[in-house]
Amino acid sequence: MDNDTPPLIVDIDGTLTDESRAIDPRVMPVLREWPARVVIATGKAMPFPIALCEFLGIERTVVAENGGVVFVEATDELRLEGDHEAALAVGEAYRDLGFGQVDLANRWRETELVVSLDQPLEPLEDLAAARGLVVLDTGFAYHVTDPVVDKGTGLEAVCAELDLAPETFLAVGDSVNDAQMFDLAGEAVAVANADETALERADRVTDGTYGDGFLEAVAPYRE
């Protein structure tokens, strides 16, 4: 690698994992040895990307809950944005209709709510819209979230803290919730298993899926 290696912002599920959501062990040394800034950007609650950074031994710079939570260890900045009370109200109303179930991931969420994909989508969307929220289908869960935040606003917040420009970043992801960070990054790469929105917004699409796709996405910067 050389000094031209860009900072990297990367999704977790479907990008660093296999189809069962287990981290591909081959991505670990790549992230650990990346010579520029690494940002982990995910729909998961903050403890998940924080733990990933901890176990990788890299600085904790994370965008969680689809942009609702941003933490930058270098400046000790924690930003929470989004109407969590509205999201919780959606969940309560959804359960009152006889839908939904306890999702352990919600225990640590601070700005949004997740619902299992085996639950009906249309009533969830109606309840969310009535409270000014949207529902994202990431392929792993339904996320009830505030439209004022996304992974793009999260990237902008990280850049503001670290005096970086979003257009200097290489972004790698697989889902609709990666689209806004794709729009801002200098190069956006979708892995081959990505959904239609991510594929359309990417500058480049890999031949490989999941962890294979991530390794392919970053390969030009590791030669």
Side-chain angles (χ1 to χ4, degrees):
M1 299 186 200
D2 57 36
N3 292 332
D4 294 328
T5 305
L8 172 67
I9 182 166
V10 60
D11 172 54
I12 300 177
D13 288 320
T15 305
L16 297 178
T17 71
D18 61 21
E19 59 273 18
S20 68
R21 300 172 72 179
I23 291 287
D24 188 322
R26 297 172 300 165
V27 311
M28 294 181 179
V30 176
L31 296 171
R32 187 182 304 117
E33 297 164 10
W34 197 259
R37 177 71 55 179
V38 174
V39 182
I40 305 296
T42 179
K44 288 182 174 294
M46 185 172 68
F48 292 91
I50 290 291
L52 178 59
C53 292
E54 285 281 327
F55 290 121
L56 286 172
I58 64 174
E59 196 166 89
R60 296 170 295 175
T61 313
V62 306
V63 175
E65 297 188 31
N66 296 305
V69 179
V70 175
F71 178 67
V72 180
E73 181 179 8
T75 61
D76 197 29
E77 174 66 16
L78 174 63
R79 189 199 71 167
L80 304 176
E81 291 191 13
D83 194 339
H84 195 212
E85 292 302 317
L88 293 176
V90 169
E92 183 176 352
Y94 192 64
R95 285 189 294 271
D96 287 344
L97 293 175
F99 305 124
Q101 57 189 21
V102 174
D103 189 316
L104 186 61
N106 285 321
R107 180 169 185 166
W108 301 290
R109 287 186 182 272
E110 300 187 75
T111 68
E112 64 169 30
L113 181 83
V114 293
V115 174
S116 173
L117 291 177
D118 62 9
Q119 299 298 300
L121 175 58
E122 185 174 351
L124 184 65
E125 289 180 321
D126 291 342
L127 291 168
R131 291 165 174 81
L133 305 180
V134 295
V135 179
L136 295 177
D137 177 357
T138 64
F140 297 100
Y142 297 132
H143 293 249
V144 180
T145 190
D146 195 321
V148 303
V149 293
D150 52 53
K151 289 188 183 181
T153 65
L155 174 57
E156 289 176 325
V158 168
C159 287
E161 284 297 309
L162 298 175
D163 195 25
L164 295 171
E167 60 268 22
T168 64
F169 273 78
L170 168 65
V172 189
D174 77 310
S175 181
V176 61
N177 64 340
D178 297 314
Q180 289 84 2
M181 78 176 188
F182 276 13
D183 292 343
L184 292 174
E187 183 181 12
V189 185
V191 291
N193 53 286
D195 65 24
E196 183 176 348
T197 300
L199 293 172
E200 289 177 350
R201 303 278 270 273
D203 301 308
R204 177 162 54 99
V205 178
T206 64
D207 293 324
T209 58
Y210 299 99
D212 284 328
F214 170 74
L215 295 173
E216 183 182 338
V218 301
Y221 301 100
R222 303 185 69 231
E223 295 174 350

